């Protein structure tokens, strides 16, 4: 198994807010014959990887059997479940970008990767998929491979060696081998990859499911503004910030935990008065520099914390976080304006949202962040005040 993320396997029927996807998987298990390739697709952080691990835990375990309610579950105390909980099952392989750090090739280990290296797929999937399973079992599956963030496999219209190398294994898998691709951007996978997989859609959680998840994860803030939670670290989150977090997360538990980890409510609190001023046609002169500085500080912290972190990738992620924080503020404003019947203001807010999207394309095109953020600050004010705005 791969590093870090595999711990804490949730039972398949305990995956929250994904009844359609789980029903699909349970039906496949009950049928007794599994397709060899699966594509779990949907927004980030909504339970795709959690479901993939839970699915693997059922199909690798010969103890799995229907209960009184017809749901197929493994014996939680079986040897297979104990191995999976310890991250020690030799036939459950989780593949992700971070495995490049453990490559036999020093050049691969020392490189900074923004994609899943071909060496990782060769050594962690293609080679072991061709070998006999380590555990002889009567379970539905003998080996399971989970590719997390499969959108990070290379993609080019003329040259995609990693995906093409994977394709042969998808076409001719060994007996009782199951491969699960987990992705939030399935369009970045080759059509030939997608066509060979059984697709399972995962959706954003509704508010009731989000609150049930928060209760389960113990996402609770104290009166002093402290945050306690079994799924995250201290982030200074107070109960009154939960509405902002729910709006930011948009039905994604993973995104909510990320916001807590990265202390994004603080970003929201810093940007809110600036966005409010821009909405009144008065541009805070420091807004562009403030946004660029926030991104730069976040990216630097990520690179400093990891030996092989890519500064380019960290910069893009930081900008994406900033755009999401701005989007949260603008969506809240739009909902209030719509509720008040302020149609003209709704159109202006929509124009501001378009400006954020346009700035995303500038960042993706490698336009310098300081220039992009200055442009965005001006466009936010212009969206509300026509082509004229005042610098505050």
């Amino acid at each position: 198994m791969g590093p870090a993320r595999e711990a804490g396997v949730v039972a398949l029927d305990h995956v929250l807010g994904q009844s359609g996807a789980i029903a699909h998987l349970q039906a496949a298990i009950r049928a007794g014959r599994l397709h060899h390739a699966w594509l779990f697709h949907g927004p980030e952080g909504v339970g795709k990887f959690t479901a993939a691990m839970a699915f693997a835990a059922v199909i690798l375990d010969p103890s799995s059997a229907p209960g009184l309610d017809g749901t197929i579950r493994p014996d939680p105390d079986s040897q297979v479940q104990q191995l999976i909980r310890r991250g020690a099952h030799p036939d459950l392989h989780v593949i992700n970008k971070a495995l490049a750090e453990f490559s036999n090739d020093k050049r691969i280990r020392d490189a900074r990767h923004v994609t899943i290296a071909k060496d990782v797929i060769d050594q962690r999937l293609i080679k072991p998929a061709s070998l006999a399973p380590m555990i002889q079992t009567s379970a539905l599956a003998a080996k399971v491979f989970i590719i997390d963030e499969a959108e990070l496999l290379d993609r080019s219209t003329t040259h995609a060696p990693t995906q093409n190398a994977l394709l042969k294994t998808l076409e001719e898998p060994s007996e009782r081998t199951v491969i699960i691709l987990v992705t939030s951007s399935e369009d970045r996978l080759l059509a030939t990859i997608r066509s060979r997989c059984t697709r399972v859609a995962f959706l954003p959680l509704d508010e009731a499911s989000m609150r049930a998840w928060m209760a389960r994860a113990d996402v609770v803030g104290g009166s002093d503004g402290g945050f306690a939670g079994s799924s995250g670290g201290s982030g200074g989150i107070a109960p009154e910030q939960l509405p902002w977090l729910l709006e930011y997360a948009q039905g994604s538990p993973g995104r909510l935990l990320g916001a807590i980890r990265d202390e994004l409510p603080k970003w929201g609190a810093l940007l809110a008065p600036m966005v409010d001023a821009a909405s009144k046609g008065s541009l805070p002169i420091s807004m562009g520099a403030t946004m660029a500085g926030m991104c730069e500080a976040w990216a630097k912290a990520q690179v400093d914390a990891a030996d092989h972190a890519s500064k380019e990738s960290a910069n893009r992620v930081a900008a994406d976080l900033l755009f999401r924080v701005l989007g949260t503020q603008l969506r809240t404003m739009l909902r209030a304006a719509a509720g008040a019947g302020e149609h003209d203001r709704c159109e202006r807010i929509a124009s501001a949202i378009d400006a954020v999207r346009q700035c995303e394309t500038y960042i993706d095109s490698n336009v310098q962040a300081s220039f992009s953020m200055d442009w965005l600050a001006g466009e936010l004010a212009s969206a509300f005040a026509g082509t004229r705005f005042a610098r505050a």
Side-chain angles (χ1 to χ4, degrees):
M1 294 176 69
R5 192 175 169 182
E6 294 76 27
V9 179
V10 173
L12 188 58
D13 54 315
H14 288 177
V15 176
L16 289 169
Q18 303 295 345
S19 58
I22 303 310
H24 186 166
L25 297 175
Q26 280 283 339
I29 295 167
R30 280 194 294 273
R33 293 189 63 184
L34 294 176
H35 190 65
H36 64 275
W38 297 77
L39 181 63
F40 287 13
H41 65 96
E44 63 175 318
V46 297
K48 303 183 299 297
F49 181 83
T50 299
M53 288 293 294
F55 185 46
V58 176
I59 64 179
L60 282 169
D61 197 331
S63 76
S64 295
L68 294 177
D69 61 355
T71 300
I72 298 175
R73 304 180 183 89
D75 176 355
D77 297 319
S78 73
Q79 181 187 24
V80 167
Q81 298 307 306
Q82 292 179 44
L83 286 170
I84 290 175
R85 282 195 293 271
R86 295 201 306 269
H89 196 296
D91 296 312
L92 174 56
H93 305 264
V94 176
I95 294 97
N96 54 38
K97 184 179 69 171
L99 288 177
E101 297 178 24
F102 306 97
S103 172
N104 295 328
D105 188 331
K106 186 176 184 301
R107 293 172 301 173
I108 300 295
R109 291 198 306 272
D110 292 345
R112 292 190 173 186
H113 297 279
V114 296
T115 60
I116 298 175
K118 184 176 182 295
D119 177 81
V120 169
I121 295 298
D122 289 341
Q123 297 302 315
R124 301 285 182 157
L125 193 154
I126 295 173
K127 182 178 179 180
S130 67
L131 303 175
M134 299 292 289
I135 297 177
Q136 298 302 314
T137 177
S138 60
L140 279 175
K143 290 179 287 187
V144 175
F145 298 85
I146 301 172
I147 305 179
D148 192 23
E149 295 184 300
E151 67 273 11
L152 297 182
L153 295 167
D154 58 9
R155 172 65 196 271
S156 167
T157 55
T158 58
H159 188 59
T162 307
Q163 290 198 44
N164 283 321
L166 174 62
L167 187 58
K168 182 173 176 58
T169 301
L170 285 176
E171 291 173 334
E172 302 174 5
S174 55
E175 186 179 3
R176 291 194 300 142
T177 292
V178 174
I179 300 172
I180 306 170
L181 286 77
V182 176
T183 181
S184 58
S185 300
E186 63 172 321
D187 59 313
R188 291 171 62 181
L189 297 172
L190 296 174
T192 47
I193 295 279
R194 300 196 302 268
S195 67
R196 284 160 176 76
C197 297
T198 295
R199 298 172 71 255
V200 182
F202 288 76
L203 305 174
L205 277 64
D206 58 27
E207 184 169 338
S209 295
M210 284 292 291
R211 290 189 177 276
W213 171 83
M214 286 191 293
R216 178 189 292 180
D218 194 24
V219 179
V220 179
S223 59
D224 61 352
F227 168 79
S230 59
S231 300
S234 176
I237 302 303
E240 59 268 21
Q241 291 175 312
L242 287 179
W244 186 93
L245 283 167
L246 285 169
E247 178 65 33
Y248 173 86
Q250 293 288 285
S252 168
R255 186 178 289 183
L256 188 146
L257 281 181
I260 293 170
R261 180 193 63 230
D262 294 321
E263 300 186 350
L264 296 187
K266 293 183 179 179
W267 287 27
L270 181 61
L271 291 175
M274 296 184 177
V275 174
D276 185 61
S279 74
K280 297 171 182 175
S282 178
L283 173 62
I285 195 168
S286 63
M287 187 174 184
T290 298
M291 293 190 296
M294 292 161 68
C295 292
E296 175 65 23
W298 188 94
K300 183 178 185 302
Q302 300 306 303
V303 173
D304 290 347
D307 291 340
H308 301 289
S310 163
K311 183 67 183 329
E312 177 187 357
S313 177
N315 285 336
R316 289 177 183 270
V317 173
D320 185 55
L321 292 175
L322 179 86
F323 296 142
R324 290 178 180 179
V325 171
L326 286 172
T328 301
Q329 179 78 6
L330 292 169
R331 283 196 308 273
T332 301
M333 293 170 62
L334 183 61
R335 188 174 296 112
E342 298 174 341
H343 303 299
D344 180 67
R345 183 167 174 79
C346 286
E347 291 181 4
R348 293 177 182 274
I349 296 171
S351 295
I353 293 172
D354 287 341
V356 174
R357 290 172 177 160
Q358 182 61 48
C359 193
E360 288 185 80
T361 68
Y362 292 157
I363 294 294
D364 288 342
S365 301
N366 295 318
V367 176
Q368 191 172 335
S370 58
F371 295 149
S372 299
M373 297 305 173
D374 272 339
W375 176 90
L376 177 57
E379 288 299 305
L380 289 175
S382 296
F384 288 100
T387 58
R388 295 173 293 122
F389 59 84
R391 287 189 176 269

